[in-house]
């Protein structure tokens, strides 16, 4: 990034001569700066929304506002990679818009969000993007970026995707394996979408659930007379999530495209991601606040409104050991990023599905509670250290979505999105005290250890001692470039390794069974329609080279395996092709 | 003693046979005993049997006497583009008998859109005319609708078919969608059938095939390049998921790769009722031969899913077979001549698929698993006959040496060494995918229906002597667990008062559309509104305890842990 290295301890002296009266200048003293790779005691000096100096005994101009950190942790502001602050349901917007939602984010220590643009099938992606950007520019209180959801795959969408990547600063797109008849793409379309997005250097986000089977299960469950929210998890068992994750990863391996699983909600889905990573697949998994802090037993609540508040997809697992398991995988690096999946619909909106669970709008809260629960359930439990905490709450997200090191790190030149974190802070979650406009908080009554004391966003203090001072419209759209290193370095090498070659043979010149013109029986593997072989120059027939003989004697009879064949073995994916010896 | 009574009824035509001094090996134990057979049925087992005079006696000299093999997967006389595979029911069953297999189960493949029953009858006719050993039939479901549903039902109830195969590959031909497979599995689960699946992701294969051809790869190596083992593993995973959802026993035909086998063993560890069938070829050879410079040789290995180019695959599959993670061995014997294979000489997607293996099946397992110390002789019997008999619901008539069982048995010579070659094999194919392999272990004597059909290397088989053996539904081996789970899996709605709070105004016709609108399928009656029971308040009351108490929880292994762990 261009500001990195521009300033150093001594470089500051030069800048001093240019007075910036409007600057916000800030020094955080006596804190322990915690990045994903190390922790160190250092002061942090901020000017113009950028970190200018990190170190001890900094020389700073007079009259600068000083925050005493008193040994507290100073961490990069959180990045919430999964919010839906403008996603309408049947024409009604969620109750937390970009203002309300980013306020909640900041109150929880998150200084950047990446929201999902959700165009409807048939709608222009570009127009939807611009609509979202306009709303967010007006209302957002913190920096934001956008993912684009692709509701429907067709030729026309390609041009828009190209434009979004190359001109609009979008590098991540979501596809759906669920929502049959609406957003769901069949495997062949997913294959094409993955192939195209990989060429653009984008990150493919996948909503992984088997929509075909869900549709079957939904009608079965409704047929049994189960219409309440418990029908939601009953019709979407975690196996269907794991199955789709497995399939998405298979597709990613085939196409050699990075895959990012949004909303990892169950143990088996998480295990599938972890196993694939061990085999070398380039895949990332994102648990959300809800899957890390609560479970799906609440779907059986006798209070309809409460049960409905938990409805999200994939559903929360009714297995109460799920959050613990997901935290373990997050701690060891098998899962990488925590989002919130924050998508807030009021009780009266949820009640659209009061007689049919399939109509309940999906989404839970979690943008405000995200960082607190990772601390409470992973760090405070001794599963995770503070550096990994930073990694999963901001750094990894910044790397995957190509924002690093501008975001996700406390370093000279990085954006001044900083949080002073108090591990000892105790807070009881309740809808009464939250920033979100929701009536229900799915974490209601839970005690959470760890929380922000100060939050600095764009170099300004926005949260101090429990008070929020935000201004809507101050959030900037942060554009992102394609080909993030953390995902694409390996992909690029594998591309080079994956060139396949046919075997050069003499032409087969033995007898050929004469297939009747109108075959009574068709071949079991006819993809003739897709066969472009007619454009291939036919191999030159060379009778001298022909090695066919009907006697069964074979030219390579003595050579059980080919030698001198270059063996390529990238980890994972292709072991099947490459282990020729 | 019981024999004495029978002695009074002389049966001049019956074949009587005594095997003396053999070591009987079943899947559960081995013991020394003599075996007396009459009328094609085992009548006595024990020492010092009292048998009629003049009975033909075979001295086993301490050699193993095992149940005749059951090859649960063959394609004999399979029609293909106006021709058929070169091994018909006579040639194919002869090859089977020569290898120690005394029963085969062939696949009926109806053309999509045609009648399953008619196809079944056609296969019956072919087999009755020519088969030299007993046989049963699987029927493949190549399309799905209500009339197929009826036909499947009558096949189960009246025709003696209990296993049906669906295809997840062969796009636009045999491939069925996830929803259709869900319906078929549900149906089979209710009626006691075994769901067999050809597991490969046909959607992705079609894309990969187009890509290979575009790259100019048209030879047999394109077959394996366009069908990497991941696509097999993916489909197995999906099939296991669907079977688990529908509570239907699953049988994966042709397990060809390590990763597919791994998925099956993991699923079994989670409690899924799933059986995996490696075949002779995947246990005995590998996919490196697709790169052979000899087109005809390379093409002879073309089968789907393909043989894995990873040469450690056979060893791995033999290990899982020995440990019980894979259950049965078929041959998938489906042989085409070189000229037939050459239909695809310019385009690998046109090469007819299939490899030989009916004759080599038992020796390959003996050589690769028993001789190497992976598997004991009892497990050898389990994977070559007993497990197949259990899955087909033919046990203990087949797959066991016991009084009352059919006298299909084999004296197995553990010391015999054969070199496999197309010149001496019983198949009509010009190529043998095991060409040149030296295999230890072979049948010394084969008894089929009480008659000696292989002795001193000479085959005395008669076409048309094979009987159709009907298989009944609900085999215990698969269905005991399924039945128990069915009772556990009953779902109940939560009794709530009706929600009587405010409801948002919404536009049903809005461009929004509902993300999960299956309203069309909702046959629910509106619950009766009872204001007294209403649990709704806007203030967000917290009822304690948070988790539903007093809920009976069920925890069948695997399947539904997600539903059952409520406490």
């Amino acid at each position: 990034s261009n500001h990195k290295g521009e300033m150093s301890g001594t470089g500051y002296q030069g800048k001093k001569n240019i007075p910036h009266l409007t600057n916000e200048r800030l020094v955080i003293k006596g804190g322990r700066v915690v990045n994903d790779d190390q922790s160190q005691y250092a002061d942090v000096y901020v000017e113009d929304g950028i970190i200018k100096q990190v170190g001890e005994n900094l020389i700073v101009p007079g009259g600068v506002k000083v925050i005493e950190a008193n040994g507290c942790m100073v961490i990069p502001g959180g990045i919430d990679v999964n919010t839906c602050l403008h996603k309408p349901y049947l024409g009604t917007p969620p109750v937390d818009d970009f203002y309300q939602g980013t306020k909640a984010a900041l109150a929880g220590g998150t200084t950047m969000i990446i929201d999902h643009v959700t165009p409807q099938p048939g709608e222009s992606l570009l127009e939807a993007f611009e609509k979202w950007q306009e709303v967010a520019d007006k209302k957002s209180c913190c920096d934001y970026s956008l993912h684009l959801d692709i509701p429907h795959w067709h030729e026309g969408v390609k041009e828009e995707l190209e434009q979004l990547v190359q001109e609009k600063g979008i590098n991540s797109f979501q596809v759906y394996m669920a929502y049959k008849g609406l957003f769901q793409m069949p495997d062949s379309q997913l294959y094409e979408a993955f192939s195209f997005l990989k060429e653009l250097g984008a990150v493919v986000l996948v909503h992984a659930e088997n929509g075909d089977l869900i549709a079957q299960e939904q009608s079965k469950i409704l047929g049994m007379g189960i219409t309440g929210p418990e029908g939601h998890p009953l019709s979407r068992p975690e196996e269907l999530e794991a199955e789709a994750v497995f399939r998405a990863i298979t597709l990613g391996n085939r196409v050699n495209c990075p895959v990012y699983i949004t909303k990892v909600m169950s143990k088996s889905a998480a295990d599938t991601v972890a196993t694939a990573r061990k085999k070398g697949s380039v895949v990332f998994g994102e648990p959300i606040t809800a899957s890390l802090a609560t479970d799906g037993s609440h779907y059986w609540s006798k209070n309809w409104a409460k049960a409905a508040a938990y409805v999200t997809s994939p559903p929360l697992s009714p297995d109460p050991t799920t959050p613990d398991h997901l935290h373990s995988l997050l701690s060891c690096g098998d899962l990488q990023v925590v989002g919130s999946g924050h998508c807030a619909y009021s009780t009266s909106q949820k009640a659209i599905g009061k007689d049919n669970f399939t109509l309940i709008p999906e989404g839970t809260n979690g943008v405000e509670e995200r960082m607190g629960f990772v601390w409470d359930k992973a760090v405070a439990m001794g599963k995770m250290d503070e550096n990994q905490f930073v990694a999963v709450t901001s750094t990894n997200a910044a790397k995957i979505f190509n924002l690093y090191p501008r975001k996700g790190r406390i370093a000279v030149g990085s954006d001044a999105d900083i949080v002073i974190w108090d591990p000892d802070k105790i807070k009881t979650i309740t809808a009464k005290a939250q920033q979100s406009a929701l009536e229900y908080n799915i974490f209601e009554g839970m005690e959470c250890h760890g929380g922000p004391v100060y939050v600095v966003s764009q170099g300004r203090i926005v949260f101090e001692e429990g008070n929020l001072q935000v201004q809507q419209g101050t959030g900037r759209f942060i554009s992102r470039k394609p080909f993030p290193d953390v995902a694409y370095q390996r992909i690029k090498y594998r591309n080079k390794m994956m060139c396949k070659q046919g075997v050069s043979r003499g032409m087969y010149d033995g007898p050929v069974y004469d297939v009747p013109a109108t075959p009574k029986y068709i071949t079991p593997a006819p993809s003739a329609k897709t066969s472009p072989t007619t454009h291939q120059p036919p191999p030159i027939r060379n009778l001298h080279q022909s090695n066919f003989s009907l006697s069964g004697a074979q030219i390579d009879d003595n050579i059980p395996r080919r030698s001198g064949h270059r063996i390529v073995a990238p980890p994972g994916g292709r072991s099947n092709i490459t282990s020729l010896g | 003693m019981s024999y004495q009574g029978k002695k009074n009824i002389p049966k001049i035509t019956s074949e009587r046979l005594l095997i003396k001094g053999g070591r009987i090996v079943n899947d559960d134990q081995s013991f020394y005993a003599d075996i007396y057979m009459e009328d094609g049925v085992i009548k006595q087992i024990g020492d010092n049997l009292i048998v009629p005079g003049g009975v033909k006696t075979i001295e086993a000299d301490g050699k193993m006497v095992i149940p005749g093999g059951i090859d649960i997967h063959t394609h004999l006389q399979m029609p293909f583009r106006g021709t058929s595979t070169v091994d018909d029911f006579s040639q194919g069953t002869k090859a089977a008998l020569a290898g120690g297999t005394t029963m085969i189960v062939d696949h009926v493949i109806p053309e999509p859109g045609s009648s399953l029953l008619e196809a079944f009858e056609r296969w019956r006719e072919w087999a009755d005319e020519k088969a030299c050993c007993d046989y049963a039939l699987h029927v493949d479901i190549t399309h799905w609708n209500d009339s197929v549903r009826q036909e499947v039902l009558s096949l189960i109830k009246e025709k003696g078919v209990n296993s049906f195969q669906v295809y997840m590959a062969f796009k636009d031909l045999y491939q069925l969608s996830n929803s259709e497979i869900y319906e078929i599995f549900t149906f089979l689960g209710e009626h006691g059938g075994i769901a067999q699946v050809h597991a490969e992701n046909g959607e992705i294969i079609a894309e990969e095939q187009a890509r290979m051809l575009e790259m100019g790869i048209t030879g047999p190596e394109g077959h394996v390049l366009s069908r990497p083992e991941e696509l097999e593993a993916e489909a197995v995973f999906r099939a296991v998921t669907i079977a688990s959802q529908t509570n239907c026993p699953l049988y994966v035909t042709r397990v060809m790769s390590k990763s597919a086998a791994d998925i099956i063993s993991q699923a079994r560890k989670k409690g899924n009722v799933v059986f995996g069938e490696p075949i002779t070829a995947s246990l005995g050879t590998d996919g490196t031969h697709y790169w052979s410079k000899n087109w005809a040789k390379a093409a002879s290995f073309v089968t789907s899913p393909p043989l894995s180019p990873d040469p450690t695959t056979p060893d791995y599959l033999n290990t899982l077979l020995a440990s019980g993670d894979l259950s049965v061995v078929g041959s998938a014997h489906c042989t085409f001549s070189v000229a037939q294979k050459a239909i695809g000489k310019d385009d690998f997607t046109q090469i007819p698929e299939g490899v030989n293996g009916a004759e080599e099946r038992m020796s390959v397992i003996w050589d690769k698993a028993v001789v190497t110390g992976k598997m004991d002789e009892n497990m050898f019997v389990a994977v070559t006959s007993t497990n197949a008999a259990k899955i087909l619901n033919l046990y203990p008539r087949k797959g066991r040496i016991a009084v009352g069982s059919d006298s299909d048995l084999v004296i197995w010579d553990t010391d015999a060494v054969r070199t496999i070659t197309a010149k001496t094999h019983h198949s009509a194919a010009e190529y043998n995918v095991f060409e040149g392999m030296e295999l230890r272990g072979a049948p010394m004597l084969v008894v089929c229906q009480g008659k000696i059909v292989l002795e001193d290397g000479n085959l005395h088989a008669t076409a048309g002597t094979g009987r159709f053996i009907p298989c009944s539904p609900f085999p215990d081996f698969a269905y005991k667990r399924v039945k128990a789970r069915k009772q556990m899996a009953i779902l109940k709605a939560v009794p709530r008062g009706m929600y009587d709070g405010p409801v948002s105004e919404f536009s049903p016709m809005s461009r929004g559309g509902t993300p999960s609108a299956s309203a069309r399928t909702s046959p629910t009656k509106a619950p009766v509104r009872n204001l007294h029971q209403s649990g709704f308040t806007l203030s967000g009351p917290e009822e304690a305890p948070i988790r539903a108490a007093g809920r009976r929880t069920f925890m069948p292994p695997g399947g539904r842990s997600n539903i059952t762990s409520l406490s």
Side-chain angles (χ1 to χ4, degrees):
Chain A
S1 82
N2 17 5
H3 13 250
K4 197 183 182 184
E6 177 190 304
M7 294 298 287
S8 65
T10 52
Y12 172 71
Q13 302 293 343
K15 290 254 162 168
K16 196 171 64 170
N17 300 327
I18 310 144
H20 283 273
L21 296 176
T22 55
N23 295 352
E24 303 245 358
R25 291 168 175 181
L26 199 62
V27 67
I28 300 170
K29 288 193 120 165
R32 191 155 45 87
V33 174
V34 179
N35 278 316
D36 71 322
D37 56 342
Q38 60 169 355
S39 309
Q40 61 179 121
Y41 284 92
D43 299 340
V44 180
Y45 174 64
V46 170
E47 200 181 285
D48 291 333
I50 291 180
I51 297 172
K52 296 289 184 179
Q53 296 182 69
V54 177
E56 289 173 276
N57 309 315
L58 300 180
I59 301 165
V60 298
V64 164
K65 176 160 173 80
V66 177
I67 301 173
E68 290 292 345
N70 294 326
C72 268
M73 290 165 57
V74 179
I75 61 173
I79 300 175
D80 186 343
V81 292
N82 187 349
T83 64
C84 294
L85 302 179
H86 192 59
K87 178 188 180 179
Y89 179 72
L90 295 180
T92 67
V95 292
D96 288 338
D97 61 5
F98 274 99
Y99 172 63
Q100 201 83 35
T102 53
K103 238 170 70 177
L106 288 167
T110 293
T111 54
M112 176 171 182
I113 59 156
I114 310 184
D115 200 73
H116 278 271
V117 179
T118 53
Q120 294 306 318
E123 193 180 352
S124 151
L125 298 190
L126 272 169
E127 278 170 26
F129 164 74
E130 276 156 15
K131 201 159 64 193
W132 248 258
Q133 205 182 18
E134 197 190 322
V135 175
D137 279 343
K138 241 182 255 165
K139 292 190 173 170
S140 183
C141 306
C142 67
D143 286 350
Y144 74 96
S145 189
L146 297 170
H147 305 295
L148 250 292
D149 291 9
I150 305 174
H152 174 51
W153 185 256
H154 55 98
E155 279 302 307
V157 98
K158 290 183 177 175
E159 206 176 302
E160 290 197 309
L161 292 174
E162 242 163 28
Q163 222 175 326
L164 284 162
V165 171
Q166 280 151 17
E167 295 162 24
K168 301 293 182 185
I170 302 293
N171 77 359
S172 46
F173 299 88
Q174 172 150 311
V175 294
Y176 290 87
M177 299 173 83
Y179 304 113
K180 191 177 182 181
L182 189 62
F183 300 137
Q184 185 179 326
M185 291 185 197
D187 290 356
S188 49
Q189 282 183 9
L190 291 170
Y191 184 99
E192 283 171 26
F194 281 35
S195 303
F196 188 77
L197 291 169
K198 164 243 179 104
E199 294 301 325
L200 294 177
V203 176
V204 179
L205 315 180
V206 179
H207 178 110
E209 281 185 295
N210 188 316
D212 286 342
L213 300 188
I214 289 169
Q216 293 279 355
E217 293 284 342
Q218 283 180 336
S219 66
K220 187 172 95 183
I221 301 280
L222 288 170
M224 294 166 77
I226 300 177
T227 58
E230 70 277 15
H232 183 71
L234 290 176
S235 61
R236 306 178 95 103
E238 70 174 78
E239 284 185 292
L240 305 193
E241 186 190 353
E243 187 283 316
V245 170
F246 195 94
R247 190 150 38 95
I249 291 169
T250 305
L251 280 155
N253 289 344
R254 289 318 303 157
V255 177
N256 191 27
C257 168
V259 171
Y260 179 102
I261 309 293
T262 57
K263 296 203 217 182
V264 173
M265 303 300 280
S266 67
K267 289 159 81 171
S268 39
D271 286 345
T272 305
V273 171
T275 310
R277 287 178 62 89
K278 281 183 190 66
K279 290 188 184 161
S281 299
V282 183
V283 55
F284 305 100
E286 170 206 284
I288 64 170
T289 320
S291 59
L292 289 169
T294 184
D295 62 57
S297 54
H298 305 283
Y299 292 118
W300 279 262
S301 168
K302 294 241 180 190
N303 178 341
W304 188 92
K306 185 188 170 190
Y310 290 84
V311 170
T312 188
S313 284
L316 286 157
S317 169
D319 176 350
T321 64
T322 304
D324 196 52
H325 187 78
L326 296 182
H327 277 291
S328 297
L329 293 190
L330 198 57
S331 304
C332 74
D334 281 359
L335 299 173
Q336 294 72 39
V337 185
V338 181
S340 68
H342 191 89
C343 184
Y345 293 110
S346 67
T347 297
S348 60
Q349 286 175 305
K350 292 263 181 187
I352 292 169
K354 70 189 168 62
D355 301 323
N356 178 346
F357 65 86
T358 69
L359 296 174
I360 300 172
E362 298 174 354
T364 53
N365 64 296
V367 70
E368 184 173 353
E369 300 82 0
R370 189 179 67 99
M371 295 179 71
F373 278 123
V374 176
W375 187 271
D376 182 81
K377 298 199 172 279
V379 187
M381 303 295 284
K383 281 180 192 283
M384 185 187 277
D385 63 25
E386 59 191 22
N387 304 100
Q388 181 71 2
F389 173 72
V390 169
V392 302
T393 54
S394 67
T395 313
N396 290 349
K399 287 179 177 172
I400 293 169
F401 296 108
N402 229 354
L403 295 163
Y404 189 80
R406 179 178 178 185
K407 302 282 187 189
R409 186 163 187 84
I410 294 186
V412 174
S414 295
D415 279 2
D417 289 350
I418 302 168
V419 171
I420 298 179
W421 189 262
D422 180 3
D424 300 323
K425 189 172 167 182
I426 299 177
K427 187 180 173 188
T428 301
I429 308 294
T430 167
K432 292 179 191 87
Q434 73 191 3
Q435 297 297 325
S436 164
L438 281 172
E439 304 104 316
Y440 273 88
N441 187 312
I442 58 166
F443 312 105
E444 186 75 33
M446 288 175 70
E447 206 170 72
C448 181
H449 296 247
V453 197
Y454 286 92
V455 177
V456 176
S457 172
Q458 299 179 47
R460 284 185 298 267
I461 300 172
V462 292
F463 182 78
E464 189 176 4
E465 320 268 342
N467 297 313
L468 209 52
Q469 298 130 8
V470 299
Q471 211 183 324
Q472 54 178 316
T474 50
R476 302 164 297 179
F477 172 74
I478 309 291
S479 73
R480 299 176 288 125
K481 291 199 168 66
F483 295 106
D485 272 351
V486 74
Y488 270 93
Q489 269 192 10
R490 286 172 288 167
I491 296 290
K492 282 176 191 165
Y493 277 104
R494 290 177 197 190
N495 275 341
K496 288 183 197 159
M497 312 281 276
M498 279 175 68
C499 296
K500 294 197 184 84
Q501 282 180 340
V503 174
S504 53
R505 294 185 180 89
M507 200 177 165
Y508 173 87
D509 54 3
V512 179
Y513 172 78
D514 195 15
V515 183
T518 46
K520 193 171 165 197
Y521 300 101
I522 7 180
T523 158
S527 56
K529 62 170 169 51
T530 56
S531 158
T533 40
T534 43
H535 308 303
Q536 298 293 328
I540 294 149
R541 176 163 170 173
N542 182 339
L543 291 173
H544 301 291
Q545 269 184 18
S546 166
N547 42 26
F548 175 76
S549 105
L550 255 185
S551 69
Q554 294 152 29
I555 199 164
D556 56 350
D557 272 349
N558 311 327
I559 315 158
R561 308 215 198 295
R562 289 166 312 142
S563 54
H565 180 77
R566 172 92 192 278
I567 293 163
V568 285
R574 318 203 64 87
S575 69
N576 43 344
I577 292 177
T578 54
S579 36
L580 299 170
Chain B
M1 291 298 284
S2 64
Y3 172 71
Q4 302 292 342
K6 293 250 166 168
K7 198 170 66 170
N8 301 328
I9 310 145
K11 290 202 193 183
I12 293 158
T13 54
S14 70
E15 301 245 358
R16 293 167 175 182
L17 204 58
L18 178 69
I19 296 178
K20 284 193 94 158
R23 190 158 47 90
I24 297 176
V25 179
N26 277 321
D27 72 323
D28 57 341
Q29 60 170 349
S30 310
F31 55 98
Y32 286 92
D34 300 342
I35 305 166
Y36 174 65
M37 292 165 271
E38 203 180 280
D39 295 330
V41 175
I42 296 172
K43 296 287 182 183
Q44 296 182 70
I45 291 175
D47 297 322
N48 309 315
L49 301 179
I50 300 163
V51 299
V55 161
K56 180 167 168 75
T57 304
I58 297 158
E59 291 293 341
D61 292 325
K63 290 209 159 43
M64 287 169 59
V65 183
I66 60 173
I70 298 175
D71 186 345
I72 193 165
H73 187 163
T74 64
H75 296 274
L76 305 180
Q77 221 165 319
M78 185 184 88
F80 176 81
R81 288 189 164 191
T83 170
S84 63
T85 50
V86 293
D87 288 329
D88 61 10
F89 274 98
S90 166
Q91 195 88 33
T93 52
K94 274 178 192 159
L97 287 167
T101 292
T102 54
M103 176 174 181
I104 60 150
V105 190
D106 204 74
H107 276 268
V108 176
I109 310 182
E111 281 308 303
S114 71
S115 156
L116 269 60
L117 278 167
E118 278 168 27
F120 169 80
E121 296 298 348
R122 200 161 57 235
W123 253 261
R124 280 285 321 260
E125 225 169 85
W126 292 335
D128 283 341
E129 187 191 341
K130 291 192 172 170
C132 306
C133 67
D134 287 350
Y135 73 97
L137 294 171
H138 307 293
V139 175
D140 294 3
I141 299 176
T142 49
H143 66 294
W144 183 245
N145 56 36
D146 279 336
S147 84
V148 173
R149 193 187 291 261
Q150 286 312 310
E151 291 197 309
V152 168
L153 195 60
S154 71
L155 283 166
I156 292 177
K157 295 208 158 143
E158 296 153 27
K159 300 293 182 180
V161 175
N162 78 354
S163 43
F164 298 84
Q165 171 158 293
V166 298
Y167 291 85
M168 299 172 85
F170 306 116
K171 191 177 178 182
D172 300 331
L173 183 63
Y174 298 147
Q175 185 178 321
L176 299 178
S177 68
N178 290 336
S179 318
E180 289 170 324
I181 293 173
Y182 181 100
E183 285 177 16
I184 292 169
F185 283 15
T186 305
F187 187 75
L188 291 175
E190 282 163 11
H191 294 97
I194 301 282
Q196 297 195 323
V197 62
H198 176 110
E200 281 185 295
N201 187 315
E203 296 280 329
I204 304 182
I205 288 170
E207 299 279 346
E208 293 281 5
Q209 285 179 335
R211 194 163 69 93
M212 290 304 146
L213 292 170
E214 226 162 77
M215 290 164 75
I217 300 177
T218 58
E221 69 277 13
H223 179 71
V224 63
L225 291 174
S226 62
R227 307 178 95 104
E229 69 175 77
E230 281 185 289
L231 305 192
E232 185 191 352
E234 187 283 316
V236 171
F237 197 102
R238 189 150 38 97
V240 166
T241 305
I242 300 174
S244 162
Q245 280 312 300
T246 52
N247 195 23
C248 174
L250 180 70
Y251 180 104
V252 180
T253 57
R254 292 200 250 215
V255 174
M256 304 300 279
S257 66
K258 289 158 80 170
S259 37
D262 281 342
I263 302 290
I264 292 170
S265 25
Q266 282 164 23
R268 287 173 66 90
K269 281 183 189 67
K270 287 186 188 159
N272 291 303
V273 181
V274 52
F275 307 103
E277 169 207 278
I279 65 169
T280 320
S282 60
L283 293 169
T285 183
D286 62 56
T288 52
H289 305 283
Y290 292 118
W291 279 265
S292 167
K293 293 246 178 191
N294 177 343
W295 188 91
K297 183 187 173 190
S300 72
F301 287 84
V302 169
T303 188
S304 285
L307 286 156
S308 169
D310 175 349
T312 64
T313 304
D315 193 56
Y316 193 83
L317 295 182
N318 277 295
T319 304
L320 290 189
L321 195 59
S323 69
D325 282 3
L326 298 174
S327 309
V328 283
V329 180
S331 69
H333 190 86
C334 182
T335 44
F336 289 100
S337 68
V338 172
Q340 288 172 321
K341 291 267 183 185
I343 293 168
K345 70 188 170 61
D346 300 323
D347 176 353
F348 65 86
T349 66
Q350 303 297 313
I351 301 172
E353 298 176 356
V355 290
N356 65 296
E359 185 171 354
E360 300 80 4
R361 189 178 68 100
M362 293 180 69
S363 291
V364 162
I365 302 165
W366 187 269
D367 184 83
K368 305 274 175 199
V370 185
V371 173
T372 55
K374 285 178 191 291
M375 184 187 275
D376 62 28
E377 57 191 25
N378 305 99
M379 195 64 179
F380 174 73
V381 168
V383 301
T384 54
S385 67
T386 313
N387 289 350
K390 287 179 176 172
I391 291 168
L392 295 164
N393 221 355
L394 296 174
Y395 187 81
R397 176 179 177 187
K398 302 281 186 188
R400 186 165 187 87
I401 295 182
V403 172
S405 296
D406 280 1
S407 47
D408 289 349
L409 49 82
V410 171
I411 299 182
W412 189 256
D413 182 356
T414 56
D415 302 322
V417 179
R418 281 191 300 170
T419 301
I420 304 298
T421 166
K423 292 177 190 85
T424 58
H425 70 195
H426 288 80
S427 161
E430 298 110 317
Y431 276 84
N432 187 311
V433 295
F434 310 103
E435 185 76 33
M437 277 177 66
E438 210 170 68
L439 296 180
R440 289 155 288 186
M444 200 173 77
L445 181 116
V446 177
V447 176
C448 181
Q449 298 181 40
K451 287 185 279 287
I452 298 172
V453 292
L454 180 84
E455 195 176 15
D456 304 325
N458 298 316
L459 204 56
H460 317 283
T462 317
T465 51
R467 302 164 298 181
F468 173 73
I469 309 289
C471 303
S472 52
F474 295 107
D476 274 351
F477 198 52
Y479 268 91
K480 267 187 176 161
R481 287 173 289 167
V482 166
K483 280 179 190 165
R485 290 177 198 187
K486 215 170 262 174
Q487 314 220 307
M488 311 282 276
I490 295 164
L491 305 176
K492 277 183 193 152
V494 174
R496 291 186 183 91
M498 201 178 162
Y499 173 89
D500 54 2
V503 180
S504 276
E505 299 254 332
F506 62 100
S507 42
M509 301 308 291
S510 89
R511 56 187 168 73
T514 157
S516 51
S518 55
R520 58 179 166 73
T521 57
S522 162
T524 46
K525 285 182 220 151
V528 180
R529 176 164 170 166
N530 181 341
L531 290 173
H532 301 290
Q533 270 184 19
S534 168
F536 176 77
T537 93
L538 252 185
S539 62
E542 280 305 308
E543 79 275 24
I546 288 173
R547 303 227 168 86
R551 165 172 291 273
R552 172 93 187 279
T553 62
F554 306 112
M555 185 70 102
R560 315 200 68 88
S561 69
N562 42 345
I563 292 175
T564 54
S565 35
L566 300 170
S567 55

